[in-house]
Amino acid sequence: MTKGEKTKLRMIEAVIESVARYGFEFTTATTISKQAKINRGLIVHYFSTIEKLIAAGAEQVNQFSRNRTNELLLEYKDSPHPVEAYFKATFGWIKERPHYGRFLICVISRALYDKKSVTPVQEIFKN
């Protein structure tokens, strides 16, 4: 992984953490740059806007949750308690990265009152 790729990943993780902790209204270039320990200008350099960085955060959460859910489904497939196994597989990833779960809740909640936020929610739940 290149230095630039590591920087982008730190910014993505920082925006997920910031939205999960402070919500969208208080997630700014300053909060993200402090969390990621980077210069604020790098956000514009790599993503051009905060909205694009947030979208990258949503994609990161989406990818992680899908991958871990599939892994956990395989792990629990022979469980004698199928309902419990289903919930562990479907939501077990939240235990590993709780800020991803809080980020997802913020994204879904925002879509209820912000029409332009509906598309990222639809992207998360598409087949």
Side-chain angles (χ1 to χ4, degrees), residues 4-55:
E5 290 169 336
K6 288 178 185 177
T7 301
K8 283 177 74 172
L9 186 56
R10 278 202 333 267
M11 285 188 279
I12 291 169
E13 288 295 329
V15 78
I16 293 167
E17 181 68 37
S18 183
V19 169
R21 184 177 291 176
Y22 307 114
F24 287 101
E25 293 74 24
F26 298 105
T27 294
T28 64
T30 301
T31 60
I32 295 164
S33 63
K34 284 181 182 179
Q35 179 76 23
K37 296 179 173 91
I38 56 143
N39 181 303
R40 286 175 37 171
L42 288 174
I43 295 170
V44 174
H45 174 73
Y46 285 108
F47 294 99
S48 72
T49 66
I50 296 287
E51 289 77 16
K52 288 182 181 178
L53 177 54
I54 290 171

